[in-house]
Short mmCIF file of all heavy atoms in Angstrom, two decimals:
data_model
loop_
_atom_site.label_atom_id
_atom_site.label_comp_id
_atom_site.label_asym_id
_atom_site.label_seq_id
_atom_site.Cartn_x
_atom_site.Cartn_y
_atom_site.Cartn_z
N MET A 1 -35.58 50.58 2.87
CA MET A 1 -36.97 51.01 2.89
C MET A 1 -37.09 52.21 1.95
O MET A 1 -36.36 53.17 2.06
CB MET A 1 -37.36 51.38 4.32
CG MET A 1 -38.80 51.75 4.48
SD MET A 1 -39.24 52.20 6.14
CE MET A 1 -38.98 50.69 6.98
N SER A 2 -38.04 52.14 1.04
CA SER A 2 -38.12 53.17 0.01
C SER A 2 -38.74 54.46 0.52
O SER A 2 -38.22 55.54 0.27
CB SER A 2 -38.90 52.64 -1.18
OG SER A 2 -40.19 52.26 -0.77
N ALA A 3 -39.87 54.39 1.20
CA ALA A 3 -40.55 55.61 1.65
C ALA A 3 -40.09 55.95 3.06
O ALA A 3 -40.81 55.78 4.03
CB ALA A 3 -42.05 55.42 1.59
N HIS A 4 -38.84 56.43 3.16
CA HIS A 4 -38.23 56.67 4.47
C HIS A 4 -37.39 57.94 4.39
O HIS A 4 -36.55 58.06 3.49
CB HIS A 4 -37.37 55.46 4.83
CG HIS A 4 -36.75 55.53 6.18
ND1 HIS A 4 -37.45 55.22 7.31
CD2 HIS A 4 -35.52 55.89 6.57
CE1 HIS A 4 -36.63 55.38 8.36
NE2 HIS A 4 -35.47 55.78 7.92
N CYS A 5 -37.60 58.88 5.31
CA CYS A 5 -36.83 60.12 5.34
C CYS A 5 -35.53 59.91 6.11
O CYS A 5 -35.56 59.41 7.24
CB CYS A 5 -37.66 61.23 5.98
SG CYS A 5 -36.78 62.80 6.13
N GLN A 6 -34.41 60.30 5.52
CA GLN A 6 -33.13 60.11 6.18
C GLN A 6 -32.95 61.05 7.36
O GLN A 6 -32.22 60.72 8.29
CB GLN A 6 -31.98 60.34 5.19
CG GLN A 6 -31.86 59.27 4.14
CD GLN A 6 -30.72 59.54 3.19
OE1 GLN A 6 -30.62 60.61 2.62
NE2 GLN A 6 -29.86 58.55 3.02
N LEU A 7 -33.59 62.20 7.36
CA LEU A 7 -33.41 63.18 8.44
C LEU A 7 -34.39 62.98 9.58
O LEU A 7 -34.01 62.84 10.73
CB LEU A 7 -33.52 64.61 7.88
CG LEU A 7 -33.33 65.74 8.87
CD1 LEU A 7 -31.95 65.68 9.53
CD2 LEU A 7 -33.51 67.08 8.19
N THR A 8 -35.68 62.96 9.27
CA THR A 8 -36.68 62.89 10.33
C THR A 8 -37.05 61.46 10.70
O THR A 8 -37.66 61.23 11.74
CB THR A 8 -37.97 63.62 9.91
OG1 THR A 8 -38.53 62.97 8.77
CG2 THR A 8 -37.70 65.07 9.60
N GLY A 9 -36.73 60.50 9.84
CA GLY A 9 -37.10 59.12 10.12
C GLY A 9 -38.55 58.80 9.79
O GLY A 9 -39.04 57.74 10.17
N ALA A 10 -39.24 59.70 9.09
CA ALA A 10 -40.64 59.46 8.73
C ALA A 10 -40.73 58.23 7.84
O ALA A 10 -39.95 58.06 6.91
CB ALA A 10 -41.20 60.68 8.01
N GLN A 11 -41.69 57.37 8.15
CA GLN A 11 -41.89 56.16 7.38
C GLN A 11 -43.38 55.91 7.22
O GLN A 11 -44.18 56.60 7.85
CB GLN A 11 -41.21 54.98 8.05
CG GLN A 11 -41.66 54.72 9.47
CD GLN A 11 -40.77 53.73 10.17
OE1 GLN A 11 -39.70 53.38 9.67
NE2 GLN A 11 -41.18 53.27 11.32
N PRO A 12 -43.78 54.97 6.37
CA PRO A 12 -45.21 54.77 6.13
C PRO A 12 -45.97 54.38 7.38
O PRO A 12 -45.47 53.67 8.24
CB PRO A 12 -45.25 53.63 5.12
CG PRO A 12 -43.90 53.61 4.50
CD PRO A 12 -42.96 54.10 5.54
N GLY A 13 -47.21 54.87 7.44
CA GLY A 13 -48.15 54.44 8.46
C GLY A 13 -49.17 53.52 7.80
O GLY A 13 -49.36 53.57 6.58
N PHE A 14 -49.81 52.68 8.57
CA PHE A 14 -50.74 51.72 8.01
C PHE A 14 -52.11 51.90 8.64
O PHE A 14 -52.23 52.32 9.79
CB PHE A 14 -50.23 50.30 8.24
CG PHE A 14 -48.96 50.01 7.50
CD1 PHE A 14 -47.74 50.26 8.09
CD2 PHE A 14 -48.99 49.53 6.21
CE1 PHE A 14 -46.56 50.02 7.40
CE2 PHE A 14 -47.83 49.29 5.52
CZ PHE A 14 -46.61 49.54 6.12
N GLY A 15 -53.12 51.63 7.85
CA GLY A 15 -54.48 51.75 8.34
C GLY A 15 -55.43 51.05 7.40
O GLY A 15 -55.04 50.15 6.66
N ASN A 16 -56.68 51.49 7.41
CA ASN A 16 -57.70 50.89 6.57
C ASN A 16 -58.33 51.92 5.67
O ASN A 16 -58.58 53.05 6.07
CB ASN A 16 -58.80 50.26 7.44
CG ASN A 16 -58.33 49.05 8.19
OD1 ASN A 16 -57.70 48.17 7.60
ND2 ASN A 16 -58.60 48.99 9.47
N ALA A 17 -58.62 51.49 4.44
CA ALA A 17 -59.46 52.27 3.54
C ALA A 17 -60.88 51.78 3.79
O ALA A 17 -61.13 50.58 3.77
CB ALA A 17 -59.06 52.04 2.10
N ILE A 18 -61.79 52.70 4.05
CA ILE A 18 -63.16 52.31 4.36
C ILE A 18 -64.06 52.75 3.21
O ILE A 18 -64.15 53.93 2.89
CB ILE A 18 -63.63 52.92 5.69
CG1 ILE A 18 -62.68 52.47 6.80
CG2 ILE A 18 -65.05 52.50 6.00
CD1 ILE A 18 -63.00 53.02 8.16
N SER A 19 -64.72 51.79 2.58
CA SER A 19 -65.56 52.08 1.42
C SER A 19 -66.92 52.63 1.87
O SER A 19 -67.23 52.71 3.06
CB SER A 19 -65.77 50.81 0.61
OG SER A 19 -66.60 49.91 1.34
N HIS A 20 -67.73 52.97 0.87
CA HIS A 20 -69.07 53.49 1.16
C HIS A 20 -69.91 52.46 1.92
O HIS A 20 -70.70 52.81 2.79
CB HIS A 20 -69.77 53.88 -0.15
CG HIS A 20 -71.14 54.43 0.04
ND1 HIS A 20 -71.37 55.65 0.63
CD2 HIS A 20 -72.36 53.91 -0.27
CE1 HIS A 20 -72.67 55.87 0.67
NE2 HIS A 20 -73.29 54.82 0.13
N SER A 21 -69.71 51.18 1.59
CA SER A 21 -70.46 50.13 2.29
C SER A 21 -69.81 49.75 3.62
O SER A 21 -70.25 48.83 4.29
CB SER A 21 -70.57 48.89 1.41
OG SER A 21 -69.28 48.34 1.18
N HIS A 22 -68.76 50.47 3.98
CA HIS A 22 -68.03 50.32 5.25
C HIS A 22 -67.18 49.05 5.33
O HIS A 22 -66.85 48.58 6.41
CB HIS A 22 -68.99 50.42 6.45
CG HIS A 22 -68.38 51.16 7.61
ND1 HIS A 22 -68.04 52.48 7.55
CD2 HIS A 22 -68.01 50.73 8.84
CE1 HIS A 22 -67.51 52.85 8.72
NE2 HIS A 22 -67.48 51.79 9.51
N ARG A 23 -66.82 48.50 4.17
CA ARG A 23 -65.86 47.38 4.16
C ARG A 23 -64.47 47.96 4.33
O ARG A 23 -64.16 49.02 3.78
CB ARG A 23 -65.94 46.62 2.85
CG ARG A 23 -67.22 45.82 2.72
CD ARG A 23 -67.21 45.03 1.46
NE ARG A 23 -66.10 44.07 1.46
CZ ARG A 23 -66.25 42.76 1.41
NH1 ARG A 23 -67.45 42.24 1.34
NH2 ARG A 23 -65.20 41.96 1.40
N ARG A 24 -63.62 47.28 5.05
CA ARG A 24 -62.27 47.77 5.32
C ARG A 24 -61.24 46.95 4.53
O ARG A 24 -61.27 45.73 4.57
CB ARG A 24 -61.97 47.67 6.81
CG ARG A 24 -62.78 48.60 7.65
CD ARG A 24 -62.56 48.31 9.12
NE ARG A 24 -63.18 49.31 9.95
CZ ARG A 24 -64.44 49.25 10.35
NH1 ARG A 24 -65.21 48.24 9.99
NH2 ARG A 24 -64.94 50.19 11.11
N THR A 25 -60.33 47.67 3.86
CA THR A 25 -59.20 47.02 3.20
C THR A 25 -57.94 47.74 3.66
O THR A 25 -57.96 48.93 3.96
CB THR A 25 -59.30 47.09 1.67
OG1 THR A 25 -59.48 48.43 1.28
CG2 THR A 25 -60.47 46.24 1.17
N SER A 26 -56.86 47.00 3.71
CA SER A 26 -55.60 47.55 4.21
C SER A 26 -55.03 48.57 3.22
O SER A 26 -55.12 48.39 2.02
CB SER A 26 -54.60 46.42 4.41
OG SER A 26 -53.43 46.90 5.01
N ARG A 27 -54.45 49.63 3.74
CA ARG A 27 -53.78 50.62 2.92
C ARG A 27 -52.59 51.20 3.67
O ARG A 27 -52.41 50.91 4.84
CB ARG A 27 -54.74 51.74 2.52
CG ARG A 27 -55.27 52.54 3.70
CD ARG A 27 -55.76 53.90 3.31
NE ARG A 27 -54.64 54.72 2.84
CZ ARG A 27 -54.77 55.97 2.44
NH1 ARG A 27 -55.95 56.55 2.41
NH2 ARG A 27 -53.73 56.66 2.05
N ARG A 28 -51.81 51.99 2.96
CA ARG A 28 -50.65 52.58 3.59
C ARG A 28 -50.60 54.08 3.33
O ARG A 28 -50.97 54.52 2.25
CB ARG A 28 -49.47 51.80 3.13
CG ARG A 28 -48.40 52.07 2.50
CD ARG A 28 -47.46 51.05 2.00
NE ARG A 28 -46.28 51.77 1.67
CZ ARG A 28 -45.09 51.27 1.72
NH1 ARG A 28 -44.90 50.04 2.05
NH2 ARG A 28 -44.06 52.00 1.41
N PHE A 29 -50.15 54.82 4.32
CA PHE A 29 -50.02 56.27 4.22
C PHE A 29 -48.54 56.59 4.09
O PHE A 29 -47.80 56.53 5.08
CB PHE A 29 -50.57 56.95 5.48
CG PHE A 29 -52.05 56.73 5.71
CD1 PHE A 29 -52.50 55.64 6.43
CD2 PHE A 29 -52.97 57.61 5.19
CE1 PHE A 29 -53.84 55.44 6.65
CE2 PHE A 29 -54.32 57.43 5.40
CZ PHE A 29 -54.76 56.33 6.13
N ASP A 30 -48.10 56.91 2.87
CA ASP A 30 -46.68 57.18 2.63
C ASP A 30 -46.36 58.65 2.90
O ASP A 30 -47.15 59.53 2.58
CB ASP A 30 -46.32 56.88 1.18
CG ASP A 30 -46.23 55.40 0.90
OD1 ASP A 30 -45.85 54.65 1.82
OD2 ASP A 30 -46.53 54.99 -0.24
N PRO A 31 -45.18 58.92 3.49
CA PRO A 31 -44.75 60.32 3.64
C PRO A 31 -44.37 60.89 2.27
O PRO A 31 -44.08 60.16 1.32
CB PRO A 31 -43.53 60.22 4.56
CG PRO A 31 -43.04 58.84 4.39
CD PRO A 31 -44.23 57.99 4.06
N ASN A 32 -44.34 62.21 2.18
CA ASN A 32 -44.02 62.90 0.93
C ASN A 32 -42.49 62.93 0.77
O ASN A 32 -41.82 63.85 1.20
CB ASN A 32 -44.60 64.31 0.98
CG ASN A 32 -44.40 65.06 -0.31
OD1 ASN A 32 -43.92 64.52 -1.29
ND2 ASN A 32 -44.76 66.33 -0.30
N ILE A 33 -41.94 61.87 0.16
CA ILE A 33 -40.49 61.71 0.03
C ILE A 33 -40.00 62.31 -1.29
O ILE A 33 -40.58 62.06 -2.34
CB ILE A 33 -40.10 60.22 0.08
CG1 ILE A 33 -40.49 59.62 1.43
CG2 ILE A 33 -38.61 60.04 -0.17
CD1 ILE A 33 -39.74 60.17 2.61
N GLN A 34 -38.95 63.13 -1.20
CA GLN A 34 -38.34 63.77 -2.37
C GLN A 34 -36.84 63.48 -2.35
O GLN A 34 -36.24 63.40 -1.29
CB GLN A 34 -38.53 65.29 -2.32
CG GLN A 34 -39.95 65.75 -2.11
CD GLN A 34 -40.83 65.46 -3.30
OE1 GLN A 34 -40.38 65.55 -4.43
NE2 GLN A 34 -42.07 65.10 -3.04
N ASN A 35 -36.24 63.35 -3.53
CA ASN A 35 -34.79 63.23 -3.64
C ASN A 35 -34.23 64.63 -3.86
O ASN A 35 -34.62 65.33 -4.80
CB ASN A 35 -34.40 62.34 -4.82
CG ASN A 35 -34.72 60.90 -4.56
OD1 ASN A 35 -34.41 60.38 -3.50
ND2 ASN A 35 -35.37 60.25 -5.51
N LYS A 36 -33.32 65.06 -2.98
CA LYS A 36 -32.73 66.40 -3.08
C LYS A 36 -31.22 66.29 -3.11
O LYS A 36 -30.63 65.43 -2.44
CB LYS A 36 -33.14 67.26 -1.87
CG LYS A 36 -34.59 67.69 -1.86
CD LYS A 36 -34.86 68.80 -2.83
CE LYS A 36 -34.29 70.09 -2.31
NZ LYS A 36 -34.55 71.21 -3.20
N ARG A 37 -30.60 67.18 -3.86
CA ARG A 37 -29.14 67.24 -3.98
C ARG A 37 -28.69 68.55 -3.35
O ARG A 37 -29.14 69.62 -3.74
CB ARG A 37 -28.77 67.17 -5.45
CG ARG A 37 -27.30 67.09 -5.73
CD ARG A 37 -27.13 66.82 -7.23
NE ARG A 37 -25.75 66.98 -7.61
CZ ARG A 37 -25.32 67.88 -8.46
NH1 ARG A 37 -26.16 68.72 -9.03
NH2 ARG A 37 -24.05 67.97 -8.75
N TYR A 38 -27.81 68.45 -2.36
CA TYR A 38 -27.31 69.63 -1.65
C TYR A 38 -25.80 69.72 -1.79
O TYR A 38 -25.10 68.69 -1.81
CB TYR A 38 -27.65 69.55 -0.15
CG TYR A 38 -29.10 69.76 0.17
CD1 TYR A 38 -29.93 68.68 0.42
CD2 TYR A 38 -29.65 71.03 0.24
CE1 TYR A 38 -31.26 68.85 0.74
CE2 TYR A 38 -30.98 71.23 0.56
CZ TYR A 38 -31.77 70.14 0.80
OH TYR A 38 -33.09 70.32 1.10
N TRP A 39 -25.29 70.95 -1.84
CA TRP A 39 -23.85 71.18 -1.82
C TRP A 39 -23.40 71.18 -0.38
O TRP A 39 -23.94 71.88 0.45
CB TRP A 39 -23.52 72.51 -2.49
CG TRP A 39 -22.08 72.88 -2.40
CD1 TRP A 39 -21.54 73.86 -1.62
CD2 TRP A 39 -20.99 72.27 -3.09
NE1 TRP A 39 -20.19 73.91 -1.81
CE2 TRP A 39 -19.82 72.94 -2.70
CE3 TRP A 39 -20.89 71.23 -4.00
CZ2 TRP A 39 -18.57 72.59 -3.19
CZ3 TRP A 39 -19.65 70.88 -4.50
CH2 TRP A 39 -18.50 71.55 -4.10
N LEU A 40 -22.40 70.37 -0.07
CA LEU A 40 -21.84 70.27 1.27
C LEU A 40 -20.50 71.00 1.26
O LEU A 40 -19.48 70.44 0.86
CB LEU A 40 -21.67 68.79 1.62
CG LEU A 40 -21.61 68.39 3.08
CD1 LEU A 40 -22.84 68.89 3.81
CD2 LEU A 40 -21.52 66.90 3.20
N PRO A 41 -20.47 72.27 1.70
CA PRO A 41 -19.25 73.06 1.57
C PRO A 41 -18.08 72.53 2.40
O PRO A 41 -16.93 72.67 2.01
CB PRO A 41 -19.65 74.46 2.04
CG PRO A 41 -20.99 74.35 2.64
CD PRO A 41 -21.57 73.04 2.25
N GLY A 42 -18.36 71.91 3.54
CA GLY A 42 -17.28 71.39 4.39
C GLY A 42 -16.49 70.28 3.73
O GLY A 42 -15.31 70.10 4.00
N GLU A 43 -17.15 69.52 2.84
CA GLU A 43 -16.47 68.41 2.16
C GLU A 43 -16.21 68.70 0.69
O GLU A 43 -15.57 67.91 0.02
CB GLU A 43 -17.32 67.13 2.30
CG GLU A 43 -17.49 66.70 3.74
CD GLU A 43 -18.32 65.44 3.85
OE1 GLU A 43 -18.49 64.74 2.83
OE2 GLU A 43 -18.78 65.16 4.96
N GLY A 44 -16.73 69.83 0.21
CA GLY A 44 -16.50 70.21 -1.18
C GLY A 44 -17.16 69.28 -2.17
O GLY A 44 -16.60 69.01 -3.24
N ARG A 45 -18.33 68.77 -1.86
CA ARG A 45 -19.02 67.84 -2.75
C ARG A 45 -20.53 67.95 -2.57
O ARG A 45 -21.00 68.56 -1.62
CB ARG A 45 -18.58 66.39 -2.51
CG ARG A 45 -19.03 65.84 -1.17
CD ARG A 45 -18.50 64.43 -0.95
NE ARG A 45 -19.00 63.87 0.30
CZ ARG A 45 -19.96 62.96 0.37
NH1 ARG A 45 -20.53 62.50 -0.73
NH2 ARG A 45 -20.36 62.49 1.52
N HIS A 46 -21.26 67.35 -3.51
CA HIS A 46 -22.71 67.28 -3.40
C HIS A 46 -23.11 66.00 -2.68
O HIS A 46 -22.40 64.99 -2.76
CB HIS A 46 -23.35 67.27 -4.80
CG HIS A 46 -23.33 68.60 -5.47
ND1 HIS A 46 -22.35 68.96 -6.37
CD2 HIS A 46 -24.16 69.66 -5.38
CE1 HIS A 46 -22.59 70.18 -6.80
NE2 HIS A 46 -23.67 70.64 -6.22
N VAL A 47 -24.25 66.05 -1.99
CA VAL A 47 -24.82 64.84 -1.39
C VAL A 47 -26.27 64.73 -1.85
O VAL A 47 -26.95 65.74 -2.02
CB VAL A 47 -24.77 64.85 0.16
CG1 VAL A 47 -23.35 64.73 0.65
CG2 VAL A 47 -25.42 66.10 0.73
N ARG A 48 -26.72 63.51 -2.08
CA ARG A 48 -28.11 63.25 -2.43
C ARG A 48 -28.80 62.68 -1.20
O ARG A 48 -28.32 61.71 -0.60
CB ARG A 48 -28.21 62.24 -3.56
CG ARG A 48 -27.83 62.81 -4.89
CD ARG A 48 -28.19 61.85 -6.01
NE ARG A 48 -27.62 62.30 -7.25
CZ ARG A 48 -28.21 63.16 -8.06
NH1 ARG A 48 -29.37 63.66 -7.76
NH2 ARG A 48 -27.63 63.51 -9.18
N LEU A 49 -29.91 63.29 -0.84
CA LEU A 49 -30.65 62.85 0.33
C LEU A 49 -32.09 62.54 -0.05
O LEU A 49 -32.68 63.20 -0.90
CB LEU A 49 -30.64 63.95 1.40
CG LEU A 49 -29.28 64.39 1.91
CD1 LEU A 49 -29.44 65.57 2.85
CD2 LEU A 49 -28.57 63.25 2.61
N LYS A 50 -32.67 61.52 0.59
CA LYS A 50 -34.09 61.21 0.44
C LYS A 50 -34.79 61.80 1.65
O LYS A 50 -34.63 61.31 2.76
CB LYS A 50 -34.31 59.69 0.38
CG LYS A 50 -33.82 59.08 -0.91
CD LYS A 50 -34.07 57.61 -0.95
CE LYS A 50 -35.53 57.34 -1.22
NZ LYS A 50 -35.80 55.92 -1.50
N LEU A 51 -35.55 62.87 1.42
CA LEU A 51 -36.13 63.64 2.51
C LEU A 51 -37.63 63.76 2.35
O LEU A 51 -38.15 63.83 1.24
CB LEU A 51 -35.53 65.05 2.54
CG LEU A 51 -34.03 65.15 2.72
CD1 LEU A 51 -33.57 66.55 2.41
CD2 LEU A 51 -33.64 64.75 4.11
N SER A 52 -38.32 63.85 3.48
CA SER A 52 -39.73 64.20 3.46
C SER A 52 -39.83 65.72 3.28
O SER A 52 -38.84 66.45 3.41
CB SER A 52 -40.41 63.78 4.76
OG SER A 52 -39.83 64.45 5.85
N ALA A 53 -41.03 66.21 3.00
CA ALA A 53 -41.23 67.64 2.84
C ALA A 53 -40.85 68.36 4.14
O ALA A 53 -40.25 69.44 4.12
CB ALA A 53 -42.67 67.94 2.45
N LYS A 54 -41.17 67.77 5.27
CA LYS A 54 -40.79 68.36 6.56
C LYS A 54 -39.28 68.37 6.73
O LYS A 54 -38.71 69.32 7.28
CB LYS A 54 -41.44 67.57 7.70
CG LYS A 54 -41.17 68.15 9.06
CD LYS A 54 -41.88 67.37 10.15
CE LYS A 54 -41.55 67.96 11.51
NZ LYS A 54 -42.19 67.21 12.59
N GLY A 55 -38.59 67.33 6.26
CA GLY A 55 -37.13 67.28 6.32
C GLY A 55 -36.48 68.37 5.50
O GLY A 55 -35.46 68.95 5.90
N ILE A 56 -37.06 68.68 4.33
CA ILE A 56 -36.54 69.76 3.49
C ILE A 56 -36.67 71.10 4.20
O ILE A 56 -35.74 71.91 4.20
CB ILE A 56 -37.26 69.78 2.13
CG1 ILE A 56 -36.91 68.52 1.34
CG2 ILE A 56 -36.91 71.02 1.34
CD1 ILE A 56 -37.73 68.31 0.09
N LYS A 57 -37.81 71.33 4.85
CA LYS A 57 -38.01 72.56 5.60
C LYS A 57 -37.05 72.65 6.78
O LYS A 57 -36.56 73.73 7.13
CB LYS A 57 -39.45 72.65 6.09
CG LYS A 57 -40.45 72.83 4.98
CD LYS A 57 -41.86 72.77 5.52
CE LYS A 57 -42.88 72.71 4.39
NZ LYS A 57 -44.23 72.49 4.88
N THR A 58 -36.75 71.51 7.41
CA THR A 58 -35.82 71.48 8.52
C THR A 58 -34.42 71.88 8.06
O THR A 58 -33.73 72.64 8.74
CB THR A 58 -35.79 70.07 9.16
OG1 THR A 58 -37.11 69.73 9.56
CG2 THR A 58 -34.86 70.03 10.35
N ILE A 59 -34.01 71.39 6.89
CA ILE A 59 -32.70 71.76 6.35
C ILE A 59 -32.65 73.25 6.04
O ILE A 59 -31.63 73.91 6.25
CB ILE A 59 -32.34 70.91 5.12
CG1 ILE A 59 -32.01 69.50 5.58
CG2 ILE A 59 -31.17 71.51 4.36
CD1 ILE A 59 -31.60 68.56 4.48
N ASP A 60 -33.75 73.81 5.55
CA ASP A 60 -33.80 75.25 5.31
C ASP A 60 -33.58 76.03 6.60
O ASP A 60 -33.02 77.12 6.60
CB ASP A 60 -35.14 75.66 4.69
CG ASP A 60 -35.29 75.17 3.26
OD1 ASP A 60 -34.26 74.81 2.64
OD2 ASP A 60 -36.43 75.14 2.77
N THR A 61 -34.03 75.48 7.72
CA THR A 61 -33.91 76.15 9.01
C THR A 61 -32.53 75.98 9.64
O THR A 61 -31.90 76.95 10.03
CB THR A 61 -34.98 75.62 9.99
OG1 THR A 61 -36.26 75.80 9.40
CG2 THR A 61 -34.93 76.35 11.31
N ILE A 62 -32.06 74.72 9.75
CA ILE A 62 -30.83 74.45 10.50
C ILE A 62 -29.58 74.43 9.63
O ILE A 62 -28.47 74.49 10.14
CB ILE A 62 -30.91 73.14 11.29
CG1 ILE A 62 -30.99 71.92 10.37
CG2 ILE A 62 -32.06 73.17 12.26
CD1 ILE A 62 -30.89 70.59 11.08
N GLY A 63 -29.73 74.31 8.32
CA GLY A 63 -28.59 74.25 7.42
C GLY A 63 -28.20 72.83 7.08
O GLY A 63 -28.46 71.89 7.83
N VAL A 64 -27.55 72.67 5.94
CA VAL A 64 -27.23 71.33 5.44
C VAL A 64 -26.13 70.66 6.26
O VAL A 64 -26.15 69.45 6.46
CB VAL A 64 -26.89 71.38 3.94
CG1 VAL A 64 -25.59 72.09 3.67
CG2 VAL A 64 -26.88 69.99 3.35
N GLU A 65 -25.17 71.43 6.76
CA GLU A 65 -24.08 70.83 7.55
C GLU A 65 -24.62 70.19 8.83
O GLU A 65 -24.26 69.07 9.18
CB GLU A 65 -23.04 71.90 7.92
CG GLU A 65 -22.29 72.48 6.74
CD GLU A 65 -21.14 71.60 6.28
OE1 GLU A 65 -20.80 70.62 6.95
OE2 GLU A 65 -20.59 71.91 5.20
N ALA A 66 -25.49 70.92 9.55
CA ALA A 66 -26.07 70.38 10.79
C ALA A 66 -26.98 69.20 10.49
O ALA A 66 -27.03 68.23 11.26
CB ALA A 66 -26.85 71.48 11.51
N ALA A 67 -27.69 69.26 9.37
CA ALA A 67 -28.59 68.16 9.00
C ALA A 67 -27.80 66.89 8.70
O ALA A 67 -28.17 65.80 9.14
CB ALA A 67 -29.45 68.56 7.81
N VAL A 68 -26.72 67.02 7.95
CA VAL A 68 -25.88 65.85 7.63
C VAL A 68 -25.26 65.30 8.90
O VAL A 68 -25.14 64.08 9.07
CB VAL A 68 -24.82 66.21 6.57
CG1 VAL A 68 -23.78 65.13 6.42
CG2 VAL A 68 -25.50 66.49 5.23
N ALA A 69 -24.90 66.16 9.83
CA ALA A 69 -24.36 65.70 11.12
C ALA A 69 -25.41 64.88 11.87
O ALA A 69 -25.09 63.85 12.47
CB ALA A 69 -23.89 66.88 11.95
N ARG A 70 -26.67 65.33 11.85
CA ARG A 70 -27.75 64.58 12.51
C ARG A 70 -27.98 63.23 11.85
O ARG A 70 -28.20 62.21 12.52
CB ARG A 70 -29.06 65.35 12.45
CG ARG A 70 -29.20 66.43 13.46
CD ARG A 70 -30.62 66.97 13.45
NE ARG A 70 -30.72 68.22 14.17
CZ ARG A 70 -31.84 68.91 14.30
NH1 ARG A 70 -32.95 68.49 13.76
NH2 ARG A 70 -31.84 70.03 14.97
N ILE A 71 -27.93 63.21 10.51
CA ILE A 71 -28.12 61.96 9.77
C ILE A 71 -27.02 60.97 10.11
O ILE A 71 -27.26 59.79 10.36
CB ILE A 71 -28.20 62.23 8.26
CG1 ILE A 71 -29.47 63.01 7.92
CG2 ILE A 71 -28.15 60.94 7.46
CD1 ILE A 71 -29.51 63.56 6.51
N ARG A 72 -25.78 61.46 10.14
CA ARG A 72 -24.65 60.57 10.45
C ARG A 72 -24.69 60.11 11.91
O ARG A 72 -24.27 59.00 12.21
CB ARG A 72 -23.34 61.30 10.18
CG ARG A 72 -23.07 61.42 8.68
CD ARG A 72 -21.77 62.10 8.39
NE ARG A 72 -21.50 62.07 6.95
CZ ARG A 72 -20.79 62.99 6.33
NH1 ARG A 72 -20.26 64.01 7.00
NH2 ARG A 72 -20.59 62.89 5.03
N ALA A 73 -25.22 60.93 12.82
CA ALA A 73 -25.34 60.53 14.21
C ALA A 73 -26.32 59.37 14.38
O ALA A 73 -26.19 58.57 15.31
CB ALA A 73 -25.80 61.72 15.07
N ARG A 74 -27.29 59.27 13.47
CA ARG A 74 -28.23 58.16 13.50
C ARG A 74 -27.64 56.90 12.89
O ARG A 74 -28.28 55.85 12.87
CB ARG A 74 -29.52 58.53 12.76
CG ARG A 74 -30.32 59.60 13.48
CD ARG A 74 -31.58 59.98 12.73
NE ARG A 74 -32.41 58.82 12.49
CZ ARG A 74 -33.10 58.61 11.37
NH1 ARG A 74 -33.06 59.50 10.40
NH2 ARG A 74 -33.84 57.54 11.22
N GLY A 75 -26.44 56.99 12.32
CA GLY A 75 -25.77 55.82 11.77
C GLY A 75 -26.03 55.60 10.30
O GLY A 75 -25.74 54.53 9.77
N VAL A 76 -26.57 56.61 9.60
CA VAL A 76 -26.85 56.47 8.16
C VAL A 76 -25.67 57.02 7.39
O VAL A 76 -25.16 58.10 7.69
CB VAL A 76 -28.15 57.23 7.78
CG1 VAL A 76 -28.42 57.13 6.29
CG2 VAL A 76 -29.32 56.70 8.58
N LYS A 77 -25.21 56.26 6.39
CA LYS A 77 -24.09 56.71 5.57
C LYS A 77 -24.55 57.76 4.58
O LYS A 77 -25.57 57.61 3.92
CB LYS A 77 -23.49 55.52 4.81
CG LYS A 77 -22.27 55.86 4.02
CD LYS A 77 -21.76 54.66 3.27
CE LYS A 77 -20.63 55.10 2.36
NZ LYS A 77 -20.25 54.04 1.44
N VAL A 78 -23.80 58.87 4.48
CA VAL A 78 -24.14 59.95 3.53
C VAL A 78 -22.99 60.11 2.56
O VAL A 78 -21.86 60.14 2.91
CB VAL A 78 -24.39 61.28 4.28
CG1 VAL A 78 -24.66 62.39 3.29
CG2 VAL A 78 -25.54 61.12 5.22
#
């Protein structure tokens, strides 16, 4: 899945675009996904993560080691 955050699990939401005449067409609400590269000091290497903006802020708070541990606990390979 392309628009998917590895840390928070944020994924697209679906709804309707409503025009001026009130016709409804299907649309999707994508999360703000960014590719970030972090240094993982415990393993001595860089990791690339696909994160939402909220996921990036979470890593700033809890640290990259704890974030990678959470990602691996969900069963995602890093």
